[in-house]
Amino acid sequence: MFRIPGVCPDGKNTLKIKKAKYATATVTVPESNRRNLAIQVQLQRSGKPYIFRSPEDKARRVGQSVSLCCDALGSPAPDRYLWYHNGSLLDPSLYKYKNNLILKNLNRDQSGEYFCKASSAGGSAKSQSAKLTVIGRQEAPCNSQPQSHLIRLPHDCFQKATNSFYYDVGKCPAKTCTGKLDKGLRCKDNVAYCCGVSKMETRDISCNGYTLPTKVIIECGCKKCTETKITVRGRATAADNGEPLRFGHIYMGNKKVSMTGYKGTFSIQIPADTERLVLTFVDRLQKFVNTTKVLPFKENGGAVFHEIKLLRKKAPVTLESTETNVISLGEMENDDPIAELEIPADAFYRKNGEAYRGKVKASVTFLDPRNISTAAVTQSDLNFVDEEGDVFPLRTYGMFSVDFTDEQGTESLNAEDVKVHLDAAQVKMPEHLQEMKLWSLNPETGLWEEEGDFNLEKSRRHKREERTFLVGNMEIKERRLFNLDVPENRRCYVKVRAYRSERFLQSEQIQGVVISVINTEPEPGFSSNPRAWGRFDSVVTGPNGACVPAFCDDQNPEAYTAYILASMGGEELEAVSSAPKLNPNAIGVPQPYLNKLNYRRTDHEDSSTKKTAFSINMAKPSPNSPEENNGPIYAYENLRECEEAPHNAAHFRFYRIEGDRYDYNTVPFSEDDLMSWTDDYLAWWPKPMEFRACYIKVKINGPQEVNIRSRNMGGTHPRTIGKLYGIRDVRSIRDSEQPDVSAACLEFKCSGMLFDQDRVDRTLVKVVPQGSCRRESVNSMLHEYLVNHLPMATNNDSSEYTMLAPLDPLGHNYGIYTVTDQDPRIAKEIALGRCFDGTSDGTSRTMKSNIGVGLTFTCSERSAAEQSIFQAQRNSGQQTILVLPGESPAYRRQPASRRTTQGRIPMRGQRSPSY
C-alpha cells in the first residue's frame, strides 16, 4: 500500500499517482473527501520477468520435428517471447513462435543451442540454453565405443600387465540421445533417452590365490535414462556460535516445503524440472534474520549437503516515531560505519496506510563485508538481471535487514522517505562511486532488484569534519533485506576438481562436492581495500569438475584475490600444499602461469592453520600467452570451454584424507554419479532411486587392530546364486578405554529384490577377519532370527562367519544397522553413525565397542611377516586410498600416524551432519 497524504486540486476528482519504478494508478475521489486525504492505493512493483521453465535438451533425426518451450512470470506478465539459435535471433514472422518454438522437418544445420527471451514493460529475462542434437536417419544415436574408466582392485590383486591395482571396465557417458518418439509435439518428451550400457561381459581377474569376476562394458547404446531423485540436505546454524535453527520453516518461493530439525538439519527433495533452487529459512522465534539462499544441487540425481549460516538479529532499539532517528550500519571495532540510515519524523505507517505515532521497536542487522568471516552468511548469490535479460554479478559494500514493529512487537510497520548515507571514504574504487545502487532481494527468485540510485553530497554529520556521502532514498515496505552494491563485469571462471586421493586420477574424481569462492578486495596500490570481501559463490562438482565464477582483471594480476574451499557432507576437503615450494604437477597448473596466480594454501606461512583452502590472484588469461589459454582461469565468455575442458587441462585440486576402507562392486557403479547405475542382476544397489545400506558391528578381542572383509554373493536367487556382488574391507578401531578391544562397522549387501523386482535374494555374506582369529560369539537375537528364517548358512570354519543376510531391516539389538535413502552416500553415512553409536536412532563420532555388537572374534597378535591388507598395497609401490565414498570425517578411520590416543576420530574442518 502507498499512502498519499494531501488534498485534491480544486475542481478535480482524480489524482494520478506515480512513484519511481512502481505502477501508475488513477484514483477517483468522492466530493466529500477532497480535503485532508489519506488515500490508499495498491501498487504492484513493475518487476522483471522471471524464467521458471527453460527448454530441455533434445535429440532428433533428420526429418523429425521438435518443440522447445519456455515460460516466465512477472508483473506485468511477459507479453513477448523471442527465440535464439546459437546466439542469432530467429525471425518471428518466419517461425511463428510464442513461448514455444516448433521446428519441423529438421536438418543437421539446426543442431546447436537454443534459448528464449521473455519481455514485458518491466524488462527482460533469458532462459537457460538447451542443446538440440540432430543426427542422420541411419546414424547411430550414441558412440558405441565405451570411454576408459579405471576401477581400483583389492589389495591382493596387483596387475603385473599394467603395473597397478587398476582395471579398465569402461564407461558410457549419459548424454541425451534419439530414442522412440510418440505422436505429438510436447515440451517434455514422455520418455527420456540417454546413452548407456547396452552390452557387458564378465571377465575373470587373476588375484593372489583367487579369481575376481568383474563386469566390463563392451558397447554403449541409446536406452531409457536412469530415473533418479534430487535431494538437498544440510544444517542451518548461527554464524556466531553454531546455535541450530530449531524447527525453522523453509520456503521455496511462497510455499513452505520443509522444516529444520532440533539440531538444525533438513532434507528436501527437489522437483526434477527445478532450474534455480531458492530457499528461504525463517526462524519462528525471530532470533535470526530471514535467510534466502540459492543452493546448487546435483542435476543428475543424488544429495548435496549445505551448511547454512544465519545472521543473528540485532537486539531491537526503541525509536520515537515523531523524531528523526539515525541508525549506524557497520560492525567493525575502531572503524567508522560504512553507512547510516536516517529515518525522518512521522515516517512510520501501518500496512493499511494509516500513519503510526508512538514508540517503534527497530532491529537493523548489518552484514559488514570488512569482516572476512561473514562471507558465508551472504544472502542469495548476489546476481541481478539487466535490461537485456542477462544475469550479472554484484559486488557488495554491505547488506542490511530491517525490522520495524510497534511497541508491543506484534505489528509490522513500514517507513517512507528513509535516507541512506554511504560514507564515500569506504568506497576505494573511484568508478564505484558513480555505479553504486541500492538493491532489495526478491525472495522468490533469489535475484536482487534495483531500488534506487545514490547522489554525492557533502555534509557534516555528528559535528564531524565535512565529508562526502553517497545519499539514496528508500521506502521500507514488503521487502526488508537491502544491499549496497555495484555491478561488476570483470569476471572469469576457475576450474576446480575434487579427488579421492593425492594421485589425482581422472577415474577418482568426486561429484557432489561444494566448491565455494570468496572474492576479496583488490590489493593496496590498486586503489581498494584488501581486508574486505565482495562476493561469495558456490558450485557443485559434476563428472568434469566445476567452474566457479570470480572477479578478475586483465591489467593487473594482483587486482583481485579469491579464496577457494571445498566441502562434502559438512567435511572440508584438503587443498594441495604450496610449501616449502610450489609443485606444479601436484597443484595442477604449469609454470609460469602458476607463479603469476600466486597460489597459496592457507597454511603457507603458518603450519598450524587449516589446510582446507587456497588463495590465488585472479589474473585474467591473456589471449597472447598460449600457456594461459588452457586453464585454470577462463574468460567469462568461455564457460563452455571451461566446462568441457579435458582432464589434462590445467585446474586446481582438492582431495579427501585417506582412510582404511575399500569397496569393490562386480558391476561398476559410482556413488557420485547415479546415472552410472546399470540394470544388472549383480548390481550392488538394485534400485537407482532407493539405496539401502546394511552394516554389521564386529568386535575384536586382541592387542591389535584387525582388517575385516565381507564377501557378498548371491544366496537364493537362481540368477545370482554363487556369484559375487562385491567385497568390502575395513579396519577395526581401537577402544579408547580398553586397549585390547577394537571394533569395526562392516558393510554387507542387503538382502531383497534384485533390479527386475521379481523375486528376492538372500545375500550370502561371509565375514572374514585377517590373521589368526577365532569366532567367539554371535548376537543371540541375530542368531535366533536366522534360525527362524531359513535357509541357514553353515558355519564349519571358526575363523569366519557366514550368514544369509536378513530380509528385514533389523536394528541395533541384532548388531545390524540398516538405512534406506535416495542417495547411497547418505544411507551409508547414517548407518555408520548408528553403528558407531550402537543405537538405531542416534549417531556417534566415537566407536562404542561394546554396544550393539553383532559378531565377536578373538585375534592373536600378528607376526612382523603378516602385513595389513591395506599396508600390503602401499608397500607394493602403489599408494592406495581406501575410503568410503560419502563418509564424513565422523566415521573415517585415520592412518596410524593421525590417530588420537583416546580412540576418537580426528576431525578436519566442520562437524559431520547429525541425523
Side-chain angles (χ1 to χ4, degrees):
M1 307 295 289
F2 177 45
R3 183 171 61 90
I4 308 102
V7 297
C8 280
D10 289 339
K12 295 183 180 179
N13 288 353
T14 61
L15 185 65
K16 284 194 174 181
I17 308 154
K18 184 175 182 180
K19 174 144 185 183
K21 57 187 186 313
Y22 299 100
T24 299
T26 301
V27 181
T28 301
V29 184
E31 190 74 25
S32 59
N33 289 341
R34 284 176 53 200
R35 299 192 63 83
N36 300 320
L37 295 176
I39 304 173
Q40 299 169 19
V41 184
Q42 183 69 43
L43 292 179
Q44 289 184 319
R45 285 178 173 266
S46 211
K48 294 182 178 176
Y50 174 65
I51 302 288
F52 69 90
R53 180 172 68 171
S54 290
E56 298 187 349
D57 290 350
K58 294 189 177 183
R60 296 291 188 268
R61 294 187 181 276
V62 169
Q64 292 182 332
S65 300
V66 71
S67 176
L68 302 174
C69 307
C70 80
D71 280 301
L73 295 174
S75 179
D79 55 7
R80 188 185 184 198
Y81 288 86
L82 296 175
W83 284 91
Y84 295 79
H85 175 218
N86 291 337
S88 298
L89 176 65
L90 296 175
D91 187 348
S93 62
L94 179 62
Y95 288 90
K96 311 293 185 186
Y97 55 68
K98 291 186 179 178
N99 66 322
N100 67 315
L101 173 67
I102 296 177
L103 302 173
K104 297 183 177 180
N105 194 23
L106 288 164
N107 58 62
R108 289 180 181 271
D109 292 342
Q110 290 175 291
S111 291
E113 293 191 346
Y114 290 82
F115 70 88
C116 81
K117 182 165 79 169
S119 300
S120 70
S124 300
K126 291 180 180 177
S127 72
Q128 294 183 5
S129 293
K131 185 177 182 180
L132 175 63
T133 302
V134 182
I135 62 172
R137 288 185 170 89
Q138 304 301 321
E139 186 177 346
C142 301
N143 184 352
S144 61
Q145 186 67 30
Q147 296 178 352
S148 174
H149 181 68
L150 301 175
I151 62 168
R152 194 173 64 251
L153 299 176
H155 72 97
D156 48 5
C157 218
F158 181 74
Q159 301 297 293
K160 293 182 180 178
T162 59
N163 193 37
S164 73
F165 282 99
Y166 290 85
Y167 195 85
D168 194 346
V169 296
K171 181 180 181 181
C172 299
K175 68 175 185 178
T176 303
C177 59
T178 306
K180 295 180 181 178
L181 296 178
D182 53 2
K183 294 182 180 179
L185 292 172
R186 295 179 174 83
C187 297
K188 182 181 181 68
D189 291 341
N190 277 350
V191 179
Y193 288 89
C194 299
C195 294
V197 178
S198 63
K199 193 179 294 185
M200 302 182 80
E201 69 177 20
T202 301
R203 293 182 186 170
D204 292 330
I205 302 173
S206 296
C207 300
N208 186 13
Y210 67 99
T211 299
L212 184 70
T214 189
K215 290 287 188 86
V216 177
I217 301 171
I218 59 174
E219 188 176 291
C220 301
C222 191
K223 57 189 298 185
K224 291 182 180 179
C225 298
T226 299
E227 293 187 25
T228 61
K229 292 183 179 179
I230 304 170
T231 306
V232 165
R233 297 177 181 269
R235 180 174 49 231
T237 57
D240 53 4
N241 64 0
E243 178 186 353
L245 172 63
R246 293 191 171 121
F247 311 116
H249 295 168
I250 305 176
Y251 290 85
M252 187 183 299
N254 291 322
K255 181 181 178 183
K256 179 184 169 185
V257 294
S258 188
M259 288 183 68
T260 60
Y262 180 77
K263 296 183 179 180
T265 56
F266 62 91
S267 177
I268 301 173
Q269 186 172 328
I270 308 304
D273 59 351
T274 302
E275 295 182 7
R276 179 178 165 88
L277 179 60
V278 182
L279 299 179
T280 299
F281 296 79
V282 178
D283 179 18
R284 299 176 303 114
L285 304 178
Q286 293 297 300
K287 290 190 292 185
F288 304 113
V289 173
N290 290 356
T291 299
T292 298
K293 290 285 188 179
V294 180
L295 300 179
F297 55 90
K298 294 174 70 173
E299 296 180 0
N300 289 334
V304 173
F305 184 90
H306 290 281
E307 288 279 1
I308 307 299
K309 294 300 181 182
L310 307 174
L311 196 61
R312 192 178 299 275
K313 275 189 174 181
K314 279 288 186 183
V317 296
T318 301
L319 308 178
E320 290 290 346
S321 66
T322 56
E323 299 176 0
T324 297
N325 295 278
V326 176
I327 300 174
S328 295
L329 302 178
E331 295 295 317
M332 300 299 289
E333 291 185 9
N334 303 319
D335 206 343
D336 289 332
I338 286 181
E340 292 177 338
L341 292 184
E342 182 182 323
I343 308 168
D346 302 320
F348 294 101
Y349 63 98
R350 292 185 163 92
K351 287 187 176 181
N352 63 5
E354 178 185 342
Y356 175 85
R357 288 179 176 82
K359 294 186 182 297
V360 176
K361 281 190 173 181
S363 173
V364 179
T365 309
F366 186 66
L367 184 66
D368 197 327
R370 296 174 297 182
N371 183 353
I372 296 292
S373 66
T374 63
V377 193
T378 308
Q379 297 259 13
S380 179
D381 57 359
L382 282 174
N383 286 327
F384 76 102
V385 176
D386 72 356
E387 293 301 319
E388 292 300 314
D390 291 306
V391 176
F392 278 91
L394 293 169
R395 204 245 94 176
T396 186
Y397 279 87
M399 300 180 187
F400 57 98
S401 171
V402 181
D403 189 17
F404 296 141
T405 65
D406 62 3
E407 189 173 8
Q408 290 72 36
T410 57
E411 181 185 3
S412 184
L413 301 175
N414 298 338
E416 62 184 355
D417 298 328
V418 178
K419 286 189 176 183
V420 182
H421 297 267
L422 175 60
D423 186 356
Q426 300 289 343
V427 182
K428 305 296 184 179
M429 300 181 74
E431 62 270 29
H432 285 181
L433 293 172
Q434 305 301 323
E435 298 171 357
M436 188 74 66
K437 295 180 185 295
L438 180 66
W439 308 77
S440 67
L441 180 67
N442 183 333
E444 293 189 39
T445 66
L447 294 167
W448 294 89
E449 296 178 358
E450 185 181 335
E451 285 284 334
D453 296 317
F454 283 88
N455 297 311
L456 279 172
E457 294 182 7
K458 290 188 177 182
S459 64
R460 296 179 183 271
R461 300 188 60 77
H462 310 296
K463 299 181 180 180
R464 294 177 179 174
E465 73 281 1
E466 185 177 71
R467 305 177 72 172
T468 301
F469 291 88
L470 288 169
V471 181
N473 296 308
M474 61 185 294
E475 184 170 10
I476 299 170
K477 295 171 57 181
E478 71 275 9
R479 293 193 184 171
R480 300 296 170 119
L481 184 66
F482 300 92
N483 206 346
L484 308 170
D485 278 35
V486 293
E488 178 61 270
N489 57 13
R490 291 181 290 178
R491 48 188 177 159
C492 292
Y493 286 100
V494 184
K495 185 72 174 192
V496 183
R497 300 178 190 265
Y499 295 88
R500 298 194 184 285
S501 76
E502 294 177 83
R503 286 186 304 272
F504 307 120
L505 297 177
Q506 183 174 2
S507 60
E508 291 189 345
Q509 291 187 87
I510 310 176
Q511 298 188 50
V513 175
V514 180
I515 308 294
S516 299
V517 59
I518 302 172
N519 290 268
T520 59
E521 280 301 286
E523 293 289 336
F526 200 72
S527 188
S528 196
N529 187 343
R531 295 171 299 169
W533 59 270
R535 186 175 173 82
F536 182 89
D537 275 289
S538 293
V539 177
V540 170
T541 58
N544 200 34
C547 294
V548 195
F551 296 145
C552 61
D553 191 83
D554 57 359
Q555 300 297 318
N556 186 339
E558 299 180 353
Y560 282 101
T561 302
Y563 282 88
I564 300 176
L565 55 157
S567 66
M568 187 175 190
E571 169 197 359
E572 293 178 330
L573 275 64
E574 193 157 304
V576 180
S577 176
S578 59
K581 64 178 181 179
L582 296 176
N583 182 346
N585 291 331
I587 295 170
V589 181
Q591 295 287 21
Y593 198 21
L594 182 58
N595 279 338
K596 183 177 181 180
L597 297 177
N598 195 33
Y599 178 93
R600 292 289 185 270
R601 194 168 69 175
T602 41
D603 67 338
H604 185 79
E605 296 179 349
D606 181 359
S607 59
S608 65
T609 307
K610 290 199 299 184
K611 303 172 174 58
T612 52
F614 64 85
S615 66
I616 54 172
N617 291 336
M618 285 303 300
K620 186 175 181 179
S622 170
N624 299 321
S625 300
E627 68 273 11
E628 297 183 11
N629 285 276
N630 192 34
I633 312 294
Y634 294 82
Y636 191 79
E637 59 271 17
N638 294 336
L639 173 59
R640 178 59 60 88
E641 182 182 337
C642 177
E643 292 176 334
E644 298 178 353
H647 183 259
N648 59 6
H651 60 274
F652 293 109
R653 296 164 170 171
F654 287 92
Y655 63 95
R656 302 191 67 155
I657 305 299
E658 67 178 68
D660 289 337
R661 299 184 185 276
Y662 170 73
D663 296 0
Y664 173 80
N665 297 325
T666 299
V667 179
F669 172 68
S670 170
E671 292 170 2
D672 297 322
D673 181 11
L674 304 191
M675 297 293 285
S676 68
W677 182 85
T678 305
D679 51 353
D680 192 286
Y681 282 101
L682 290 176
W684 184 277
W685 308 97
K687 295 176 69 175
M689 291 195 294
E690 183 179 278
F691 297 90
R692 188 179 178 196
C694 293
Y695 286 81
I696 185 169
K697 193 167 191 174
V698 183
K699 179 180 176 181
I700 303 293
N701 293 319
Q704 293 183 334
E705 295 156 333
V706 172
N707 301 292
I708 311 169
R709 168 172 290 181
S710 74
R711 187 174 176 86
N712 304 266
M713 305 179 75
T716 59
H717 196 289
R719 298 293 295 265
T720 63
I721 189 167
K723 296 181 179 179
L724 183 71
Y725 288 115
I727 292 171
R728 297 294 187 266
D729 289 336
V730 67
R731 185 162 65 189
S732 63
I733 298 173
R734 187 170 306 283
D735 190 284
S736 60
E737 299 178 353
Q738 303 175 80
D740 289 338
V741 174
S742 63
C745 291
L746 177 66
E747 186 185 9
F748 63 90
K749 186 188 181 301
C750 309
S751 292
M753 290 283 188
L754 301 186
F755 88 93
D756 61 3
Q757 301 297 299
D758 182 50
R759 60 182 296 176
V760 300
D761 181 41
R762 293 279 300 279
T763 309
L764 184 66
V765 180
K766 182 173 289 188
V767 179
V768 186
Q770 182 197 12
S772 301
C773 298
R774 182 183 74 257
R775 186 177 69 249
E776 286 289 333
S777 64
V778 179
N779 182 293
S780 59
M781 293 182 66
L782 174 60
H783 180 73
E784 183 179 355
Y785 175 94
L786 296 175
V787 168
N788 292 329
H789 293 79
L790 300 176
M792 187 172 181
T794 57
N795 275 285
N796 296 327
D797 189 343
S798 63
S799 66
E800 58 188 37
Y801 178 73
T802 305
M803 69 174 178
L804 285 164
L807 277 170
D808 299 302
L810 304 183
H812 68 286
N813 290 332
Y814 299 81
I816 301 292
Y817 303 85
T818 307
V819 172
T820 301
D821 196 85
Q822 297 161 7
D823 187 282
R825 291 179 173 277
I826 302 298
K828 285 185 171 186
E829 184 173 297
I830 298 173
L832 274 169
R834 293 176 180 176
C835 181
F836 269 60
D837 194 51
T839 64
S840 293
D841 55 1
T843 188
S844 176
R845 299 186 296 132
T846 303
M847 177 65 77
K848 299 177 181 178
S849 304
N850 296 315
I851 305 175
V853 175
L855 288 173
T856 302
F857 288 87
T858 296
C859 301
S860 60
E861 188 169 354
R862 292 195 305 268
S863 65
E866 290 183 289
Q867 289 184 322
S868 155
I869 62 174
F870 302 105
Q871 193 64 38
Q873 195 166 12
R874 297 191 185 102
N875 290 349
S876 67
Q878 301 292 321
Q879 183 188 13
T880 298
I881 180 169
L882 302 164
V883 63
L884 172 64
E887 67 180 348
S888 76
Y891 316 118
R892 185 176 60 247
R893 180 58 184 166
Q894 299 287 352
S897 62
R898 289 179 178 163
R899 296 177 210 140
T900 62
T901 56
Q902 281 75 34
R904 187 174 178 83
I905 301 170
M907 297 296 294
R908 300 192 65 84
Q910 302 174 29
R911 294 168 60 91
S912 62
S914 301
Y915 295 89

